[in-house]
Amino acid sequence: MIKLVKEQIFSIDEIEKEQIISTIKSYSDDDFLTLYKLCQLHDLAHIVFMALEDLNIILPEKIKSLFYSDNLRAIVRQERLQFAYNQLVEILRTEKIEFVPLKGIVIRNLYPKAYYRTSCDIDVLVDKEKIDQILSILTEKYHYKRYTGSEYDVMLIAENGEHIELHYGLDLRYKGEKINRITDNLFSDLILDSDGEYEKKFKSEFFFFYFVEHMAKHFIEGGCGVRSFIDLMLLKSIDGFESQEGIQLIKECNLLSFYQNAVRTCEVWFGGEQANEFTNSIEKYVIIGGAYGSFDNKVKVEQNRRGGKFKYFLSRIFLPYRVLKYQFPILKKHKWLFPFMQVARWFKRIFEGRTKTTLYEFTLNTSLTKQEIKETENMIDELGL
């Protein structure tokens, strides 16, 4: 899968091309199905399909149909998200609201084709001081539907059904004194450059830090997918991306080791460097995790962080107030309802049909071996996370 992604987004030489073709020609129908499922797990089936087409690989008809459908869905998804984003930008400009596009909507421009960089929603940052006013405008005047929210963002649904995450803060897991000073006021000249009258963008050093921090946060929460490593490799090709100022920011937040090993993994996958035992352990963790992380990885990390199976179990049964208040906003006014809302959350999971997921998580919590936990613990420690 990774070699096919490399062929389509980066480049391969004739020797590597012949090796790929020779390997794939020996595939059985079951092998092709396994490849498709792995690509789908990482939301890369559309890219791999185009690589297989370019290499003139003849696929079994059923497998070709699956790949073709995923490619078509990715194109349609990109068009729908772009339409929703353009519509939102027009509204924000009309209402004279400053904003910063985040994540996929920015990075997809680096890909050979925009639809190669899939996203499940649109992320836009706005000024925290104006969030109530902005929400009122979007929901009342332009009929966006408010769906859910957290301490840092509100999820809205656009008219065409696409999800928009309206951020009014950055959910940073890794912080330092300088980062805290910067993020106290996100809409200041310390952090933003102008990219238009109302469109803003992060200064290069903060953009670098934010990308690495966001990748590390997803990595430790279950996995960040191969896509994040593709993003990183493409971003590294931009002059000035890896600035000394940015390096200092990630150093302060203890992310330098993670960044260096992520880059090393990129170079193994897409640059022809030799793998070693440690990059192999990162690869295994990332591949298992899929595009958005897996329960398996998350439980391994959380058991290590919480101090064992029983403490992890308790942390999932009883959520802290700072998390629960966003599931039950009434707690913001009536904190005394906290224990009752814990019980309400349990019943909510049952009535929402999430019992099987919960049971799977708790079964996994008890079945993981000490060896599996130790391997993950060693990797996380080596990465400095």
Side-chain angles (χ1 to χ4, degrees), residues 179-200:
I179 291 298
N180 288 337
R181 285 202 309 274
I182 291 173
T183 55
D184 279 346
N185 184 4
L186 287 168
F187 276 77
S188 73
D189 293 339
L190 281 174
I191 191 171
L192 296 181
D193 282 331
S194 180
D195 202 27
E197 189 174 3
Y198 299 106
E199 289 124 302
K200 306 294 178 183

PDB file of all heavy atoms in Angstrom, residues 179-200:
ATOM      1  N   ILE A 179       4.101  28.760  24.271  1.00  0.00           N
ATOM      2  CA  ILE A 179       2.863  28.399  23.570  1.00  0.00           C
ATOM      3  C   ILE A 179       1.658  28.946  24.320  1.00  0.00           C
ATOM      4  O   ILE A 179       0.718  29.475  23.713  1.00  0.00           O
ATOM      5  CB  ILE A 179       2.745  26.863  23.419  1.00  0.00           C
ATOM      6  CG1 ILE A 179       3.805  26.342  22.449  1.00  0.00           C
ATOM      7  CG2 ILE A 179       1.346  26.458  22.949  1.00  0.00           C
ATOM      8  CD1 ILE A 179       3.703  26.875  21.038  1.00  0.00           C
ATOM      9  N   ASN A 180       1.661  28.836  25.640  1.00  0.00           N
ATOM     10  CA  ASN A 180       0.543  29.369  26.426  1.00  0.00           C
ATOM     11  C   ASN A 180       0.386  30.871  26.226  1.00  0.00           C
ATOM     12  O   ASN A 180      -0.730  31.381  26.114  1.00  0.00           O
ATOM     13  CB  ASN A 180       0.742  29.060  27.917  1.00  0.00           C
ATOM     14  CG  ASN A 180       0.546  27.588  28.227  1.00  0.00           C
ATOM     15  OD1 ASN A 180      -0.131  26.882  27.486  1.00  0.00           O
ATOM     16  ND2 ASN A 180       1.137  27.107  29.294  1.00  0.00           N
ATOM     17  N   ARG A 181       1.503  31.577  26.145  1.00  0.00           N
ATOM     18  CA  ARG A 181       1.439  33.028  25.933  1.00  0.00           C
ATOM     19  C   ARG A 181       0.861  33.344  24.556  1.00  0.00           C
ATOM     20  O   ARG A 181       0.032  34.236  24.403  1.00  0.00           O
ATOM     21  CB  ARG A 181       2.836  33.647  26.056  1.00  0.00           C
ATOM     22  CG  ARG A 181       3.358  33.777  27.466  1.00  0.00           C
ATOM     23  CD  ARG A 181       4.445  34.848  27.552  1.00  0.00           C
ATOM     24  NE  ARG A 181       5.500  34.680  26.569  1.00  0.00           N
ATOM     25  CZ  ARG A 181       6.573  33.909  26.736  1.00  0.00           C
ATOM     26  NH1 ARG A 181       6.725  33.217  27.872  1.00  0.00           N
ATOM     27  NH2 ARG A 181       7.499  33.821  25.798  1.00  0.00           N
ATOM     28  N   ILE A 182       1.307  32.586  23.571  1.00  0.00           N
ATOM     29  CA  ILE A 182       0.841  32.820  22.200  1.00  0.00           C
ATOM     30  C   ILE A 182      -0.650  32.544  22.077  1.00  0.00           C
ATOM     31  O   ILE A 182      -1.403  33.327  21.497  1.00  0.00           O
ATOM     32  CB  ILE A 182       1.626  31.938  21.200  1.00  0.00           C
ATOM     33  CG1 ILE A 182       3.079  32.409  21.116  1.00  0.00           C
ATOM     34  CG2 ILE A 182       0.991  31.981  19.817  1.00  0.00           C
ATOM     35  CD1 ILE A 182       3.961  31.496  20.294  1.00  0.00           C
ATOM     36  N   THR A 183      -1.087  31.413  22.636  1.00  0.00           N
ATOM     37  CA  THR A 183      -2.476  30.986  22.435  1.00  0.00           C
ATOM     38  C   THR A 183      -3.466  31.680  23.364  1.00  0.00           C
ATOM     39  O   THR A 183      -4.666  31.466  23.244  1.00  0.00           O
ATOM     40  CB  THR A 183      -2.600  29.456  22.605  1.00  0.00           C
ATOM     41  OG1 THR A 183      -2.072  29.071  23.882  1.00  0.00           O
ATOM     42  CG2 THR A 183      -1.845  28.738  21.507  1.00  0.00           C
ATOM     43  N   ASP A 184      -2.970  32.493  24.278  1.00  0.00           N
ATOM     44  CA  ASP A 184      -3.896  33.299  25.086  1.00  0.00           C
ATOM     45  C   ASP A 184      -4.701  34.233  24.202  1.00  0.00           C
ATOM     46  O   ASP A 184      -5.846  34.570  24.506  1.00  0.00           O
ATOM     47  CB  ASP A 184      -3.118  34.126  26.130  1.00  0.00           C
ATOM     48  CG  ASP A 184      -2.765  33.298  27.356  1.00  0.00           C
ATOM     49  OD1 ASP A 184      -3.351  32.204  27.508  1.00  0.00           O
ATOM     50  OD2 ASP A 184      -1.902  33.729  28.146  1.00  0.00           O
ATOM     51  N   ASN A 185      -4.101  34.664  23.106  1.00  0.00           N
ATOM     52  CA  ASN A 185      -4.796  35.517  22.149  1.00  0.00           C
ATOM     53  C   ASN A 185      -4.450  35.044  20.746  1.00  0.00           C
ATOM     54  O   ASN A 185      -3.476  35.486  20.146  1.00  0.00           O
ATOM     55  CB  ASN A 185      -4.402  36.987  22.341  1.00  0.00           C
ATOM     56  CG  ASN A 185      -5.186  37.902  21.421  1.00  0.00           C
ATOM     57  OD1 ASN A 185      -6.067  37.449  20.689  1.00  0.00           O
ATOM     58  ND2 ASN A 185      -4.866  39.179  21.436  1.00  0.00           N
ATOM     59  N   LEU A 186      -5.271  34.136  20.218  1.00  0.00           N
ATOM     60  CA  LEU A 186      -4.985  33.531  18.927  1.00  0.00           C
ATOM     61  C   LEU A 186      -5.097  34.534  17.781  1.00  0.00           C
ATOM     62  O   LEU A 186      -4.454  34.389  16.753  1.00  0.00           O
ATOM     63  CB  LEU A 186      -5.919  32.348  18.680  1.00  0.00           C
ATOM     64  CG  LEU A 186      -5.618  31.095  19.499  1.00  0.00           C
ATOM     65  CD1 LEU A 186      -6.755  30.105  19.400  1.00  0.00           C
ATOM     66  CD2 LEU A 186      -4.315  30.450  19.046  1.00  0.00           C
ATOM     67  N   PHE A 187      -5.945  35.548  17.955  1.00  0.00           N
ATOM     68  CA  PHE A 187      -6.122  36.536  16.894  1.00  0.00           C
ATOM     69  C   PHE A 187      -5.281  37.770  17.174  1.00  0.00           C
ATOM     70  O   PHE A 187      -5.767  38.868  17.391  1.00  0.00           O
ATOM     71  CB  PHE A 187      -7.609  36.874  16.714  1.00  0.00           C
ATOM     72  CG  PHE A 187      -8.298  35.895  15.826  1.00  0.00           C
ATOM     73  CD1 PHE A 187      -8.642  34.643  16.307  1.00  0.00           C
ATOM     74  CD2 PHE A 187      -8.550  36.185  14.498  1.00  0.00           C
ATOM     75  CE1 PHE A 187      -9.247  33.714  15.479  1.00  0.00           C
ATOM     76  CE2 PHE A 187      -9.149  35.251  13.660  1.00  0.00           C
ATOM     77  CZ  PHE A 187      -9.504  34.014  14.155  1.00  0.00           C
ATOM     78  N   SER A 188      -3.960  37.556  17.168  1.00  0.00           N
ATOM     79  CA  SER A 188      -3.024  38.652  17.378  1.00  0.00           C
ATOM     80  C   SER A 188      -1.907  38.553  16.352  1.00  0.00           C
ATOM     81  O   SER A 188      -1.730  37.520  15.693  1.00  0.00           O
ATOM     82  CB  SER A 188      -2.426  38.592  18.783  1.00  0.00           C
ATOM     83  OG  SER A 188      -1.497  37.527  18.881  1.00  0.00           O
ATOM     84  N   ASP A 189      -1.167  39.630  16.195  1.00  0.00           N
ATOM     85  CA  ASP A 189      -0.066  39.655  15.228  1.00  0.00           C
ATOM     86  C   ASP A 189       1.058  38.696  15.614  1.00  0.00           C
ATOM     87  O   ASP A 189       1.927  38.381  14.800  1.00  0.00           O
ATOM     88  CB  ASP A 189       0.498  41.074  15.104  1.00  0.00           C
ATOM     89  CG  ASP A 189      -0.512  42.024  14.464  1.00  0.00           C
ATOM     90  OD1 ASP A 189      -1.415  41.525  13.785  1.00  0.00           O
ATOM     91  OD2 ASP A 189      -0.404  43.247  14.660  1.00  0.00           O
ATOM     92  N   LEU A 190       1.056  38.226  16.876  1.00  0.00           N
ATOM     93  CA  LEU A 190       2.082  37.286  17.312  1.00  0.00           C
ATOM     94  C   LEU A 190       1.988  35.961  16.559  1.00  0.00           C
ATOM     95  O   LEU A 190       2.967  35.269  16.371  1.00  0.00           O
ATOM     96  CB  LEU A 190       1.921  36.984  18.814  1.00  0.00           C
ATOM     97  CG  LEU A 190       2.438  38.017  19.802  1.00  0.00           C
ATOM     98  CD1 LEU A 190       2.044  37.606  21.211  1.00  0.00           C
ATOM     99  CD2 LEU A 190       3.959  38.141  19.686  1.00  0.00           C
ATOM    100  N   ILE A 191       0.791  35.637  16.139  1.00  0.00           N
ATOM    101  CA  ILE A 191       0.561  34.292  15.614  1.00  0.00           C
ATOM    102  C   ILE A 191       0.028  34.277  14.181  1.00  0.00           C
ATOM    103  O   ILE A 191       0.152  33.287  13.481  1.00  0.00           O
ATOM    104  CB  ILE A 191      -0.406  33.545  16.561  1.00  0.00           C
ATOM    105  CG1 ILE A 191      -0.484  32.071  16.236  1.00  0.00           C
ATOM    106  CG2 ILE A 191      -1.795  34.123  16.515  1.00  0.00           C
ATOM    107  CD1 ILE A 191      -1.242  31.301  17.281  1.00  0.00           C
ATOM    108  N   LEU A 192      -0.551  35.391  13.726  1.00  0.00           N
ATOM    109  CA  LEU A 192      -1.230  35.397  12.438  1.00  0.00           C
ATOM    110  C   LEU A 192      -0.581  36.314  11.417  1.00  0.00           C
ATOM    111  O   LEU A 192      -0.047  37.372  11.746  1.00  0.00           O
ATOM    112  CB  LEU A 192      -2.697  35.827  12.601  1.00  0.00           C
ATOM    113  CG  LEU A 192      -3.612  34.917  13.419  1.00  0.00           C
ATOM    114  CD1 LEU A 192      -5.010  35.500  13.447  1.00  0.00           C
ATOM    115  CD2 LEU A 192      -3.643  33.518  12.844  1.00  0.00           C
ATOM    116  N   ASP A 193      -0.632  35.891  10.163  1.00  0.00           N
ATOM    117  CA  ASP A 193      -0.340  36.743   9.018  1.00  0.00           C
ATOM    118  C   ASP A 193      -1.637  36.903   8.236  1.00  0.00           C
ATOM    119  O   ASP A 193      -2.519  36.038   8.288  1.00  0.00           O
ATOM    120  CB  ASP A 193       0.714  36.104   8.107  1.00  0.00           C
ATOM    121  CG  ASP A 193       2.118  36.263   8.672  1.00  0.00           C
ATOM    122  OD1 ASP A 193       2.348  37.252   9.391  1.00  0.00           O
ATOM    123  OD2 ASP A 193       2.971  35.386   8.402  1.00  0.00           O
ATOM    124  N   SER A 194      -1.737  37.971   7.502  1.00  0.00           N
ATOM    125  CA  SER A 194      -2.927  38.200   6.687  1.00  0.00           C
ATOM    126  C   SER A 194      -2.834  37.402   5.399  1.00  0.00           C
ATOM    127  O   SER A 194      -1.775  37.311   4.784  1.00  0.00           O
ATOM    128  CB  SER A 194      -3.076  39.689   6.378  1.00  0.00           C
ATOM    129  OG  SER A 194      -4.226  39.903   5.596  1.00  0.00           O
ATOM    130  N   ASP A 195      -3.934  36.799   4.978  1.00  0.00           N
ATOM    131  CA  ASP A 195      -4.000  36.075   3.715  1.00  0.00           C
ATOM    132  C   ASP A 195      -5.183  36.594   2.902  1.00  0.00           C
ATOM    133  O   ASP A 195      -5.774  35.900   2.101  1.00  0.00           O
ATOM    134  CB  ASP A 195      -4.144  34.573   3.989  1.00  0.00           C
ATOM    135  CG  ASP A 195      -3.678  33.735   2.803  1.00  0.00           C
ATOM    136  OD1 ASP A 195      -2.814  34.219   2.051  1.00  0.00           O
ATOM    137  OD2 ASP A 195      -4.178  32.614   2.633  1.00  0.00           O
ATOM    138  N   GLY A 196      -5.564  37.847   3.184  1.00  0.00           N
ATOM    139  CA  GLY A 196      -6.742  38.470   2.589  1.00  0.00           C
ATOM    140  C   GLY A 196      -7.339  39.413   3.608  1.00  0.00           C
ATOM    141  O   GLY A 196      -6.832  39.539   4.729  1.00  0.00           O
ATOM    142  N   GLU A 197      -8.422  40.083   3.244  1.00  0.00           N
ATOM    143  CA  GLU A 197      -8.992  41.071   4.162  1.00  0.00           C
ATOM    144  C   GLU A 197      -9.484  40.433   5.457  1.00  0.00           C
ATOM    145  O   GLU A 197      -9.294  40.970   6.546  1.00  0.00           O
ATOM    146  CB  GLU A 197     -10.143  41.820   3.475  1.00  0.00           C
ATOM    147  CG  GLU A 197     -10.641  43.009   4.281  1.00  0.00           C
ATOM    148  CD  GLU A 197     -11.674  43.830   3.544  1.00  0.00           C
ATOM    149  OE1 GLU A 197     -12.064  43.455   2.420  1.00  0.00           O
ATOM    150  OE2 GLU A 197     -12.105  44.850   4.112  1.00  0.00           O
ATOM    151  N   TYR A 198     -10.123  39.266   5.350  1.00  0.00           N
ATOM    152  CA  TYR A 198     -10.642  38.594   6.541  1.00  0.00           C
ATOM    153  C   TYR A 198     -10.009  37.219   6.759  1.00  0.00           C
ATOM    154  O   TYR A 198     -10.101  36.671   7.844  1.00  0.00           O
ATOM    155  CB  TYR A 198     -12.171  38.466   6.448  1.00  0.00           C
ATOM    156  CG  TYR A 198     -12.830  39.818   6.379  1.00  0.00           C
ATOM    157  CD1 TYR A 198     -13.374  40.297   5.184  1.00  0.00           C
ATOM    158  CD2 TYR A 198     -12.872  40.652   7.503  1.00  0.00           C
ATOM    159  CE1 TYR A 198     -13.948  41.554   5.115  1.00  0.00           C
ATOM    160  CE2 TYR A 198     -13.446  41.909   7.445  1.00  0.00           C
ATOM    161  CZ  TYR A 198     -13.979  42.360   6.241  1.00  0.00           C
ATOM    162  OH  TYR A 198     -14.534  43.616   6.181  1.00  0.00           O
ATOM    163  N   GLU A 199      -9.394  36.661   5.711  1.00  0.00           N
ATOM    164  CA  GLU A 199      -8.708  35.382   5.862  1.00  0.00           C
ATOM    165  C   GLU A 199      -7.339  35.603   6.495  1.00  0.00           C
ATOM    166  O   GLU A 199      -6.600  36.491   6.077  1.00  0.00           O
ATOM    167  CB  GLU A 199      -8.522  34.696   4.504  1.00  0.00           C
ATOM    168  CG  GLU A 199      -9.831  34.179   3.914  1.00  0.00           C
ATOM    169  CD  GLU A 199     -10.066  34.743   2.527  1.00  0.00           C
ATOM    170  OE1 GLU A 199     -10.105  35.990   2.416  1.00  0.00           O
ATOM    171  OE2 GLU A 199     -10.212  33.949   1.592  1.00  0.00           O
ATOM    172  N   LYS A 200      -7.045  34.804   7.485  1.00  0.00           N
ATOM    173  CA  LYS A 200      -5.755  34.867   8.161  1.00  0.00           C
ATOM    174  C   LYS A 200      -5.080  33.502   8.042  1.00  0.00           C
ATOM    175  O   LYS A 200      -5.715  32.495   7.710  1.00  0.00           O
ATOM    176  CB  LYS A 200      -5.925  35.239   9.636  1.00  0.00           C
ATOM    177  CG  LYS A 200      -6.724  36.529   9.866  1.00  0.00           C
ATOM    178  CD  LYS A 200      -5.993  37.742   9.354  1.00  0.00           C
ATOM    179  CE  LYS A 200      -6.805  39.012   9.544  1.00  0.00           C
ATOM    180  NZ  LYS A 200      -6.127  40.199   8.991  1.00  0.00           N
TER     181      LYS A 200
END
